[in-house]
Amino acid sequence: MKIGISTCLLGIQCRYDGQHSKDKFVYDELSKHFEFRSFCPEGQIYPTPREAIRQVRINGELIIRTTNTKKDVTKEIVDVSKSLVDSINEDELCGYILKSKSPTCGMARVKIYPDGEGQSENVGVGVFAKELMEKFPLLPIEEEGRLSDPWLKENFLMQVFAYKDIFEFMKTQPTFGELVDFHTSYKYLIYSKSHKSYKELGQIVANHEKKTLEEVLALYKQRFLEAIALKGRTSNTYNVLMHIFGYFKKYITKDEKEEILTSLEEFKQHIIPLVAIIKIIKIYVKRFNIEYLEKQKFLTPYPKEMALRSKVEAFK
């Protein structure tokens, strides 16, 4: 699996000051699961070290200018950003991690300076980031700073693995039956993001309008990517857990039911993490050999070693 990444986050000294912005989570943890393809728009044009650049608003127009010599480098930055984005194929990457606050790579809150006196505003978007998000609006994209938030991290990596999964699935030239199986395996993961999205995807699979297989697959892929881009919530996840509980509640004792329901309520109240509930559920799934649940991506959306559901803060 390949993830695009701002080069400086890998510890490569490519910043304007000759330094790097090595990110511990990216370098130490994600490198165990992903192959990185790095990009540095500024480094494609200028040597390191170099004069810093910034976004400047002049008479309502946004330009890119060097900080000391005030040279307008807008065209160079825009051209190289477009070129780098154009070099990426739709299914080559399954996600992208950008350097926050960068005038080229920041996906939000980039400083825009006035021409002359006045306060800068944190309302800009990096030139390269803007091109990337416009060409690939459904590609999982995050900044390294935001990945320190357990909720954003869990949502991002769940989206990354599902994004890769749908592209790999489509490459197999699936039949209608295989699409039904794929959709079924994602039932509760999609449900945890949006019940509306799950119903829409179900209607596409049902194909009451008798569309061709190619039309159905194309529409399903689009709606699936839109669905996994949504952020999961505690309330939706709690509802999913209650649905799953329904599969084996008639097989267990009254005390076991009470124990599970108490744990579910504690998760809902942010007392215990989701991983504790999942562990309990998997015990019962295995105990009663519930094949339908064993195939659910919701229970194992990514390698367990990532421990993304081990934080109470991983859900909001």
Side-chain angles (χ1 to χ4, degrees):
M1 296 177 67
K2 294 181 181 179
I3 280 188
I5 191 164
S6 295
T7 305
C8 59
L9 297 177
L10 297 177
I12 297 171
Q13 296 172 312
C14 61
R15 283 170 51 90
Y16 74 93
D17 56 4
Q19 300 301 309
H20 60 74
S21 299
K22 185 177 180 179
D23 185 84
K24 183 175 177 60
F25 172 69
V26 168
Y27 193 84
D28 293 347
E29 299 300 325
L30 293 189
S31 60
K32 299 174 184 177
H33 305 278
F34 300 101
E35 177 184 339
F36 296 125
R37 183 179 175 193
S38 63
F39 298 81
C40 181
E42 296 170 48
Q44 290 281 316
I45 311 172
Y46 311 111
T48 299
R50 56 183 173 273
E51 189 176 358
I53 61 173
R54 58 174 50 170
Q55 295 190 10
V56 181
R57 198 184 305 279
I58 302 177
N59 297 325
E61 182 182 358
L62 199 63
I63 70 166
I64 311 298
R65 196 166 71 180
T66 57
T67 54
N68 297 326
T69 61
K70 311 297 184 185
K71 180 183 177 182
D72 186 340
V73 294
T74 307
K75 186 179 186 307
E76 293 95 317
I77 294 296
V78 169
D79 286 349
V80 75
S81 294
K82 287 181 179 292
S83 177
L84 288 176
V85 170
D86 286 343
S87 72
I88 302 172
N89 295 320
E90 183 184 29
D91 62 345
E92 179 182 7
L93 305 177
C94 54
Y96 205 105
I97 302 174
L98 293 161
K99 177 68 188 79
S100 59
K101 302 179 182 179
S102 162
T104 53
C105 292
M107 65 183 290
R109 304 180 305 283
V110 174
K111 281 188 177 182
I112 296 180
Y113 293 83
D115 183 30
E117 299 297 325
Q119 292 290 325
S120 61
E121 298 179 282
N122 298 328
V123 295
V125 178
V127 179
F128 173 74
K130 184 173 182 291
E131 292 289 339
L132 183 69
M133 291 187 289
E134 286 181 353
K135 183 173 181 181
F136 304 109
L138 296 174
L139 178 71
I141 300 176
E142 266 298 355
E143 294 180 334
E144 94 291 354
R146 284 165 53 92
L147 291 178
S148 61
D149 182 313
W151 180 61
L152 293 174
K153 183 191 298 183
E154 202 274 344
N155 274 282
F156 172 68
L157 287 166
M158 179 185 285
Q159 184 186 2
V160 164
F161 279 90
Y163 186 95
K164 181 66 173 178
D165 213 7
I166 187 69
F167 276 91
E168 290 297 314
F169 174 69
M170 290 299 172
K171 287 179 182 178
T172 67
Q173 298 181 323
T175 63
F176 273 115
E178 289 167 338
L179 177 61
V180 170
D181 291 341
F182 179 89
H183 176 65
T184 300
S185 71
Y186 269 96
K187 173 180 178 177
Y188 287 125
L189 189 148
I190 298 298
Y191 202 107
S192 71
K193 291 179 174 291
S194 168
H195 180 54
K196 179 182 176 182
S197 293
Y198 178 72
K199 288 182 66 176
E200 289 177 349
L201 286 166
Q203 290 169 356
I204 293 170
V205 173
N207 195 25
H208 297 303
E209 298 176 2
K210 304 300 180 183
K211 297 178 183 291
T212 66
L213 176 58
E214 290 73 19
E215 290 174 321
V216 170
L217 290 174
L219 184 57
Y220 185 88
K221 176 184 173 184
Q222 176 69 19
R223 294 290 184 268
F224 180 89
L225 291 173
E226 291 172 355
I228 63 171
L230 300 172
K231 300 289 189 293
R233 295 282 180 178
T234 299
S235 57
N236 288 349
T237 303
Y238 174 80
N239 290 336
V240 165
L241 294 170
M242 288 298 293
H243 276 280
I244 291 175
F245 170 62
Y247 278 87
F248 55 80
K249 67 178 182 181
K250 63 182 177 182
Y251 302 124
I252 59 180
T253 66
K254 180 181 178 181
D255 288 343
E256 288 174 319
K257 288 179 185 178
E258 290 180 356
E259 180 182 359
I260 293 175
L261 290 173
T262 298
S263 298
L264 289 176
E265 193 61 32
E266 288 175 343
F267 163 73
K268 187 177 182 181
Q269 296 177 14
H270 299 112
I271 297 172
I272 63 174
L274 180 59
V275 67
I277 308 296
I278 297 297
K279 190 171 183 63
I280 294 172
I281 287 174
K282 284 186 174 180
I283 289 173
Y284 287 108
V285 169
K286 184 175 182 180
R287 175 177 164 185
F288 299 113
N289 192 29
I290 307 174
E291 294 185 9
Y292 182 82
L293 294 181
E294 287 177 346
K295 297 176 181 179
Q296 288 298 314
K297 292 287 185 177
F298 172 81
L299 296 178
T300 313
Y302 33 65
K304 64 180 181 180
E305 292 80 11
M306 288 187 162
L308 298 173
R309 292 168 160 176
S310 60
K311 303 284 186 183
V312 171
E313 303 89 345
F315 285 84
K316 293 184 180 180

